[in-house]
Amino acid sequence: MAKYIVEEHKTSSYEKNYKMPLLNIIPAIVWSIPLHQKLFSDASWWMTLGICAAFVVLYCALSYIPIIAAVPCIAGVIIFTGLFWVFADYIGNDVARIIVKVIIAVGFGFMELAVFANAMVPWLEGKKKQGPRVRRVEE
């Protein structure tokens, strides 16, 4: 006669970090400048402030949404690398400068990958809920 054993999964679910996507405030502010200059250059000061503030809020809000978070994360890597490559340009040795630039790009790439994973992992866990595991044991 066989026995059936029901085993529950004991893995804990991922707890979303709501502070991590706020790293994208800096790229949002930087991206709001060309947005203002190209699209709304004739707007008044208050209108410019409102449009740029709305853009910053929208940019950061998109960092929380699964799949769509890829857009602000890619834009964040571009801005962060551009901002910090300035310091690497003062290195006189070409090989060392290239190595430092690659390290900067990879570091910010991983940082934005963490922001993207923070948005994606809870969504993926919700999509793939696993039921209990049933084992058959022969006696």
Side-chain angles (χ1 to χ4, degrees):
M1 179 158 180
K3 263 189 187 179
Y4 292 95
I5 300 173
V6 178
E7 296 176 348
E8 293 291 328
H9 290 283
K10 295 178 178 149
T11 59
S12 59
S13 63
Y14 178 78
E15 292 183 25
K16 195 172 197 176
N17 185 348
Y18 290 99
K19 295 176 191 171
M20 189 185 318
L22 294 178
L23 290 168
N24 282 338
I25 287 178
I26 295 168
I29 292 171
V30 174
W31 279 115
S32 72
I33 295 168
L35 174 82
H36 156 65
Q37 290 175 344
K38 290 296 180 186
L39 299 179
F40 308 107
S41 59
D42 296 335
S44 68
W45 190 87
W46 287 105
M47 183 65 78
T48 300
L49 181 67
I51 291 170
C52 291
F55 178 78
V56 169
V57 168
L58 178 67
Y59 189 97
C60 289
L62 290 178
S63 299
Y64 289 99
I65 301 172
I67 299 174
I68 298 173
V71 175
C73 289
I74 291 170
V77 170
I78 292 168
I79 284 297
F80 275 129
T81 19
L83 286 173
F84 284 89
W85 273 10
V86 171
F87 302 115
D89 286 336
Y90 290 108
I91 298 174
N93 188 350
D94 288 341
V95 175
R97 182 175 56 240
I98 291 170
I99 291 171
V100 169
K101 284 185 173 186
V102 167
I103 290 171
I104 289 170
V106 167
F108 285 118
F110 280 130
M111 183 184 77
E112 291 293 337
L113 181 64
V115 172
F116 180 68
N118 188 49
M120 288 295 293
V121 169
W123 178 70
L124 289 172
E125 280 183 346
K127 263 187 102 121
K128 187 151 181 162
K129 290 274 185 192
Q130 293 182 353
R133 181 177 159 202
V134 179
R135 290 189 319 165
R136 181 179 180 194
V137 178
E138 294 289 334
E139 288 185 4

